[in-house]
Amino acid sequence: MNAIVLAVFGLAVMFTGFFVYSRFVAGKILKLDPDFKTPAHTMTDGVDYVPTNKFVLWGHHFTSVAGAAPIVGPAIAVIWGWLPALLWVSLGTVFFAGVHDMGAVWASVRNKAKSMGALSGDVVGKRARSLFMIVIFLVLLMVNAVFGVVIANLLINNAGSVVPVWGAIAVAMVIGQAIYRFKWNLPLVSLVGVIVLYTLIWIGPQVPVALPETAFGLSDRALWILLLFAYAAVASLLPVWMLLQPRDYINGLQLFVGLGLLYVAVFVAGPTVVAPMINSDVPAGTPSLFPLLFVTIACGAISGFHGIVASGTTSKQLNKEPDARLVGYGGALGEGTLALAAIIAASAGFATFEEWKEVYSSFGGGGLKAFVDGGGTILHAGTGISPEVSATMLTVMAALFAGTTMDTGLRLQRYIFQEWGEIYNISWMKKAAPATLLSVGACLALAFGAGGADGGGGLLIWPLFGTTNQLMAGLTLLVVAVMLVRRKTNALVVIAPMAFILVIGLLALAIQIYDFFGQQKWFLCGLAVVVLVAGVLVALECIAALRKEQHEVAASN
């Protein structure tokens, strides 16, 4: 089969969802109000609360939520065949991710831009808030600690990506000044920024940069991890308009250009899909498709991390409430197109089925390498861009996605510590600098405490990310559903995906606990039990609140 068929189907479903389904949800269910004063206006502080152009904010939300996960997850899930992955990404984006992201932005904006954890306390109760924030903290810890390792590995494996990845930071800071301080024309600034970024991608392979293999008793990976967290700490303290917003915005444009080139290459080259439609001969040790497909592909179909971003940074910058449709639903759509590209690269980027099967000889094979290698092959065949530059472009794309997610993730982790300071009246924890140090300290303690001098400890708890992330998504939808029922609005479009993803998340987590126990992985087993108990208790609290609201609405009618 020609890969064009996969691209046409996936893109058609997603864009129909945006122009039809998202308009229905925004207008009839959430009832987004252009006259509602958002927290960006009522609580403006020039640091975290800043009214933002919806296209700039869309760039922030899209690149913050689209880390390496929507590339890695789909590229791994192709082991079950391309069809299940294609259907989950396409339909999940439309009916799950878009509704989840837009709903989370709306719910937070309507409650002074509170995070989902803090918001659950107002909507459901204090017990739910305490448990919910534990789940949120663990998700952020997993994302930040692991993405530090992922970016470090990318920089080591492709030294030509170092200049464009770090150069993007300088470009973003110049753009922030140009837009906010000097009020220059946004389209012109955007065009110049994208040109500069792609010039850096072209220059990168010609001036590769590598750290010493060992220095100060640390490996090059450990040194990169320390540098990345030092940068992320500074970035999390700067006003959002100075670095976070412009970095995410210009990266979003650059990444969409890269995605656009990849899709153009697919339509020009028309590569053959060599992966099976449904793989009936999976390698030994591969888990069953149900329910593991739905947690292996989290980002790209639905992801609880999106709700943390939507209610953590995005809601604080929303200029007008109707902008939530483009920013939230549109951001999820952007991630869906990335996941679709990963599926195509991992299915049609190989010369033969035998070559594909060799890469997917075990569960977990493929992943980021399949995307870079397969996508690079397609890009070279369809556009004539050299294999070296093609590989650098896709490596930079993955690194920038992961980097912007890490930037936002650390800022969100700082918010969690500050919210705990507010809740438990710990005055020093309410301040940004100490909260940031706690956030970085927690990530580095995991990275180096569990991983030793190499700093790879974050990977230790990564197997729990998919299930914890999906559980988080279900709980977020539960909170949104309670708010909708309280407003006497039909909440079915939220309750249906919420019920599915909660059941899937809890079932997958129970399977993982069984596997961890059998493998005697006691730390992961214990942590998974904590997540399961917290998730079940939050779900019960939310369901009780939901039923109470439904009964009160029914009684009032």
Side-chain angles (χ1 to χ4, degrees):
M1 177 181 286
N2 196 298
I4 293 175
V5 176
L6 276 63
V8 169
F9 174 82
L11 293 175
V13 170
M14 291 183 206
F15 282 95
T16 299
F18 180 76
F19 288 110
V20 179
Y21 192 62
S22 76
R23 182 175 282 114
F24 163 73
V25 174
K28 301 297 183 181
I29 306 301
L30 301 180
K31 300 177 182 177
L32 303 181
D33 182 3
D35 296 323
F36 179 79
K37 293 293 183 182
T38 65
H41 290 281
T42 60
M43 303 170 68
T44 302
D45 64 2
V47 178
D48 296 317
Y49 295 83
V50 179
T52 305
N53 177 287
K54 63 182 179 181
F55 296 105
V56 174
L57 188 56
W58 166 83
H60 157 71
H61 184 78
F62 163 54
T63 55
S64 292
V65 300
I71 297 173
V72 176
I76 289 175
V78 168
I79 197 168
W80 288 299
W82 58 261
L83 182 61
L86 176 67
L87 291 176
W88 176 226
V89 164
S90 303
L91 299 177
T93 296
V94 172
F95 297 107
F96 288 72
V99 174
H100 172 274
D101 285 25
M102 181 166 57
V105 173
W106 167 79
S108 180
V109 164
R110 286 282 170 165
N111 289 273
K112 299 181 180 179
K114 290 182 178 180
S115 70
M116 292 311 303
L119 177 57
S120 65
D122 294 344
V123 176
V124 181
K126 290 183 179 179
R127 283 179 299 185
R129 178 189 64 191
S130 300
L131 294 164
F132 208 155
M133 290 182 76
I134 292 172
V135 178
I136 293 173
F137 179 79
L138 288 174
V139 170
L140 289 172
L141 186 63
M142 292 176 197
V143 168
N144 293 336
V146 170
F147 278 14
V149 179
V150 168
I151 300 168
N153 288 341
L154 286 168
L155 296 176
I156 292 169
N157 294 334
N158 190 332
S161 67
V162 173
V163 168
V165 166
W166 288 95
I169 297 170
V171 173
M173 295 195 74
V174 172
I175 287 174
Q177 297 294 320
I179 293 175
Y180 286 98
R181 178 161 294 180
F182 301 113
K183 310 296 182 183
W184 288 356
N185 180 269
L186 179 61
L188 178 61
V189 171
S190 304
L191 177 61
V192 173
V194 170
I195 291 172
V196 172
L197 285 177
Y198 272 95
T199 301
L200 291 173
I201 289 174
W202 177 75
I203 292 172
Q206 301 174 54
V207 285
V209 177
L211 294 179
E213 289 188 10
T214 56
F216 310 108
L218 298 172
S219 67
D220 52 353
R221 182 166 79 168
L223 290 171
W224 276 125
I225 290 171
L226 289 173
L227 286 172
L228 287 164
F229 273 106
Y231 154 73
V234 174
S236 74
L237 291 169
L238 292 175
V240 290
W241 65 267
M242 190 175 290
L243 179 57
L244 186 71
Q245 276 185 6
R247 173 169 157 80
D248 290 354
Y249 171 66
I250 199 64
N251 282 350
L253 293 180
Q254 181 262 329
L255 296 167
F256 251 101
V257 171
L259 271 179
L261 286 172
L262 186 55
Y263 278 110
V264 166
V266 169
F267 284 99
V268 171
T272 300
V273 177
V274 299
M277 183 169 69
I278 297 178
N279 191 6
S280 57
D281 185 27
V282 296
T286 301
S288 61
L289 183 149
F290 184 89
L292 269 298
L293 168 72
F294 302 98
V295 296
T296 301
I297 302 179
C299 302
I302 182 172
S303 164
F305 179 69
H306 292 205
I308 303 174
V309 175
S311 64
T313 58
T314 304
S315 62
K316 293 176 174 62
Q317 302 168 60
L318 198 74
N319 185 35
K320 294 181 180 296
E321 194 173 73
D323 293 352
R325 179 171 169 247
L326 173 68
V327 174
Y329 201 101
L333 184 74
E335 188 179 68
T337 61
L338 175 61
L340 176 61
I343 292 169
I344 293 171
S347 301
F350 299 90
T352 63
F353 171 68
E354 287 70 28
E355 185 180 321
W356 178 88
K357 194 171 183 179
E358 185 178 343
V359 172
Y360 286 88
S361 59
S362 63
F363 185 70
L368 199 57
K369 190 175 187 305
F371 171 74
V372 172
D373 292 347
T377 299
I378 295 172
L379 200 56
H380 171 61
T383 65
I385 298 173
S386 72
E388 197 174 43
V389 174
S390 295
T392 299
M393 183 184 299
L394 295 180
T395 300
V396 170
M397 182 186 295
L400 290 181
F401 270 128
T404 51
T405 300
M406 187 178 169
D407 285 1
T408 302
L410 198 67
R411 185 178 288 259
L412 291 169
Q413 208 167 356
R414 184 249 289 178
Y415 290 162
I416 292 293
F417 277 112
Q418 287 183 286
E419 285 181 348
W420 276 333
E422 293 286 347
I423 292 169
Y424 301 111
N425 197 27
I426 305 173
S427 58
W428 62 269
M429 197 184 289
K430 299 177 187 178
K431 299 176 182 178
T436 298
L437 289 176
L438 286 173
S439 302
V440 173
C443 293
L444 292 180
L446 176 62
F448 290 94
D454 200 34
L459 296 173
L460 182 68
I461 62 173
W462 185 248
L464 275 172
F465 173 73
T467 49
T468 307
N469 193 39
Q470 298 304 65
L471 187 60
M472 175 73 203
L475 297 176
T476 296
L477 288 171
L478 253 177
V479 172
V480 175
V482 173
M483 287 184 60
L484 288 173
V485 171
R486 187 171 290 173
R487 292 162 61 92
K488 300 182 179 180
T489 301
N490 187 344
L492 185 61
V493 298
V494 174
I495 291 174
M498 172 270 292
F500 178 82
I501 208 66
L502 264 184
V503 170
I504 288 295
L506 292 172
L507 180 59
L509 194 54
I511 292 172
Q512 278 193 312
I513 291 172
Y514 178 80
D515 290 341
F516 292 150
F517 184 83
Q519 298 164 18
Q520 297 186 345
K521 295 181 177 178
W522 305 122
F523 176 74
L524 283 174
C525 186
L527 193 58
V529 169
V530 169
V531 173
L532 180 64
V533 171
V536 169
L537 291 176
V538 173
L540 291 175
E541 292 276 348
C542 292
I543 290 170
L546 182 61
R547 293 180 66 182
K548 179 182 177 183
E549 294 296 336
Q550 287 176 324
H551 287 317
E552 290 181 359
V553 169
S556 66
N557 292 334

